[in-house]
Amino acid sequence: MHPSDERKVLEQLLKEIDSPGNASSGWSDLPAWISIAVITASCFHFFGRPSLPHALLMAGFFLAGLVYAQVRLRRKSARNWPTLRPFLDRARVEARLREILLTGH
């Protein structure tokens, strides 16, 4: 890993150690799934045959899926954080970060 990337990861890790994110319930995903299903059904009802709008629609839903996956990943990470936190040594993280900063990366 490049030192500048490692520095960013370590800085973010220290922020998480200081103030961990809040885990959220899986029920908050239900409205998103229902919304996606309704929007998809509506669009295919109005744009019955394959055309440019279909291609744009699929591209839009692809991007929406990427955003949704990122949100789910963050929620799952926040939920697992209390399990991982006791295994992190803050002093070692800070020492490595100082080492990276002293070398000028």
Side-chain angles (χ1 to χ4, degrees), residues 31-100:
W33 282 109
I34 291 172
S35 298
I36 290 170
V38 168
I39 291 170
T40 302
S42 299
C43 288
F44 280 113
H45 174 74
F46 292 117
F47 306 113
R49 59 186 173 84
S51 61
L52 179 61
H54 278 114
L56 294 175
L57 179 69
M58 291 287 98
F61 278 115
F62 177 75
L63 292 175
L66 290 176
V67 170
Y68 180 75
Q70 181 67 23
V71 168
R72 288 292 296 161
L73 179 65
R74 288 181 183 268
R75 286 181 181 167
K76 293 293 182 182
S77 295
R79 186 174 292 138
N80 292 329
W81 179 250
T83 305
L84 297 174
R85 189 173 187 188
F87 298 100
L88 297 174
D89 185 2
R90 181 183 181 83
R92 289 184 68 192
V93 172
E94 289 173 336
R96 177 62 182 148
L97 187 56
R98 275 192 305 275
E99 180 183 327
I100 292 171

